[in-house]
Amino acid sequence: MGLPDFSAEAEIDLRMSQSETKVIAGSADQRRVFVADLGGTHLRSAIVDQAGKIHFHFKQHTPAAKSAEDIVEALVAAARECDRQNTAAGYAIDAVSVVAPGTVNVAAGSIVKAPNLPFLSGFNLAEALSRALNLPAILENDANAAAVGEMWLGAARGRRTIVCVTLGTGVGGGIILDGKLWHGAHHSAAEIGHMCVDPFGGVACPCGSRGCLEVYASATAIVRMTREAKPRHPNSRLQIDSELTSECIYRAGVEGDELALEVFRRMGVYLGIGLANLINILNPEMIVIGGGVVNAWELFEKQMNHEVVERAFPLLADLVKIVPAECGDDAGLLGAAKLAFCWDSR
Ligand SMILES: [Zn+2]
């Protein structure tokens, strides 16, 4: 499979088997694909047309699966339900495109390693879905797909070289260089969350290393840092919250709670250090920051930008745009769709 080109001007050339030719020959907005974003918590699925419009959007809890076959079954059921509604509306599905957390061998369609869904490690999910649904199927890493979604229809429209950082339960990343998604030599590029930003911090990361960006800038990290800082802020409203979430810490920050504000300022410093490294190495036009934590943008923006100015080459720091994502939870689904529309099955 060749690397697709995501530039807005790129001609999209879907190469399908003979049986799909009549569908592909339709007008551009008639081309539709089934997409699914397989997260550790939720399985989201939809039909997306070539204009990027989302149809029949479903969100369900990821099944408490014990085997890869359980996941295939859930995805096939979601695809059949979408297909039923899509067929009733007079359309056909041309392809299947799934994004998943973890390391993905895109060329093979298999999951190399998925820490949150360990039974999928080594499993060829694309092949299993293709067989079950009798459609071409592709697989991509979720953060890579989110970068593609943002370049197609989000904050990075019209750009060619971007970095997308996803601040969720963990910290993910996608790198698009001159219109092409960078997978690395062994399918594992853009693990931005595991860039070391604090060699002396000593905070252990699930990856096995210490001081990774993920342990300072993820939703999980926001909660941990808030717990750690509590003794310094006895009057914080967060003292009484037994169930701390990054969302409630953000709300406290917006209302001026000093504990919450301290945590987001600290998070902004670490994020800025990571972004400065990315800017100096990759010289991107734009860095798009997505994931749930980005809602707290105004609470960490100043410290993040300060570190970028302090640490990145001045010319590069001046030229790069650092912006919040625009596609929200749909970035992965949209990216999955764009990848399917660009797919070259040679
Ligand atoms: Zn790590």
Side-chain angles (χ1 to χ4, degrees):
M1 193 177 76
L3 284 173
D5 186 318
F6 312 113
S7 65
E9 301 77 21
E11 276 294 314
I12 292 159
D13 179 21
L14 253 180
R15 289 157 199 261
M16 297 287 182
S17 64
Q18 288 295 321
S19 61
E20 280 94 32
T21 306
K22 62 183 186 304
V23 177
I24 299 303
S27 67
D29 63 357
Q30 286 180 324
R31 298 176 190 176
R32 293 187 173 200
V33 291
F34 169 75
V35 293
D37 187 342
L38 178 62
T41 311
H42 290 112
L43 165 59
R44 303 167 76 251
S45 52
I47 300 283
V48 178
D49 67 27
Q50 207 176 359
K53 188 164 181 216
I54 295 175
H55 308 264
F56 321 122
H57 196 172
F58 295 102
K59 182 176 174 182
Q60 62 194 91
H61 283 289
T62 301
K66 293 182 182 65
S67 68
E69 286 69 30
D70 294 343
I71 293 292
V72 172
E73 202 175 299
L75 285 165
V76 167
R80 294 216 162 111
E81 178 55 27
C82 281
D83 186 39
R84 193 182 61 73
Q85 299 197 28
N86 196 47
T87 303
Y91 294 94
I93 294 173
D94 298 338
V96 173
S97 183
V98 175
V99 301
T103 306
V104 170
N105 181 337
V106 171
S110 63
I111 291 180
V112 178
K113 198 164 173 52
N116 294 328
L117 299 162
F119 45 80
L120 284 179
S121 296
F123 184 70
N124 195 317
L125 187 55
E127 192 178 278
L129 291 172
S130 184
R131 205 181 310 119
L133 294 164
N134 198 26
L135 285 167
I138 58 170
L139 186 66
E140 180 55 88
N141 166 271
D142 53 1
N144 284 350
V148 174
E150 289 293 335
M151 184 175 262
W152 185 27
L153 294 166
R157 284 187 305 278
R159 307 283 175 176
R160 299 276 305 168
T161 294
I162 68 158
V163 176
C164 189
V165 184
T166 308
L167 309 175
T169 311
V171 172
I175 295 172
I176 299 176
L177 303 177
D178 200 20
K180 293 189 166 51
L181 199 47
W182 182 249
H183 289 101
H186 304 105
H187 327 295
S188 204
E191 285 295 350
I192 289 165
H194 303 285
M195 171 183 359
C196 184
V197 292
D198 186 357
F200 304 109
V203 179
C205 180
C207 77
S209 184
R210 304 184 90 82
C212 297
L213 179 60
E214 179 165 301
V215 296
Y216 302 104
S218 63
T220 316
I222 299 291
V223 171
R224 191 203 73 248
M225 293 193 294
T226 301
R227 286 212 182 92
E228 288 171 354
K230 266 185 172 185
R232 291 197 294 279
H233 298 277
N235 298 322
S236 167
R237 61 176 267 189
L238 295 169
Q239 292 287 355
I240 52 170
D241 282 358
S242 54
E243 290 236 353
L244 279 177
T245 62
S246 58
E247 175 77 31
C248 76
I249 298 163
Y250 159 67
R251 282 199 302 271
V254 169
E255 289 168 20
D257 186 274
E258 191 48 40
L259 167 54
L261 290 172
E262 178 190 311
V263 166
F264 278 106
R265 283 196 296 262
R266 189 152 177 255
M267 171 264 185
V269 170
Y270 286 113
L271 181 60
I273 294 170
L275 298 191
N277 290 336
L278 291 168
I279 291 164
N280 283 346
I281 295 167
L282 297 170
N283 183 18
E285 295 171 84
M286 178 177 271
I287 296 178
V288 180
I289 302 180
V293 179
V294 83
N295 293 329
W297 181 264
E298 79 260 32
L299 303 185
F300 64 77
E301 179 188 16
K302 191 174 159 199
Q303 283 69 30
M304 172 187 76
N305 286 332
H306 177 78
E307 292 302 319
V308 167
V309 169
E310 287 285 304
R311 294 169 189 275
F313 279 11
L315 178 67
L316 307 188
D318 192 40
L319 292 173
V320 69
K321 306 260 184 306
I322 303 174
V323 297
E326 292 180 5
C327 295
D329 287 346
D330 293 332
L333 292 178
L334 291 170
K338 182 65 173 168
L339 288 163
F341 288 128
C342 292
W343 188 33
D344 180 347
S345 60
R346 287 170 295 178

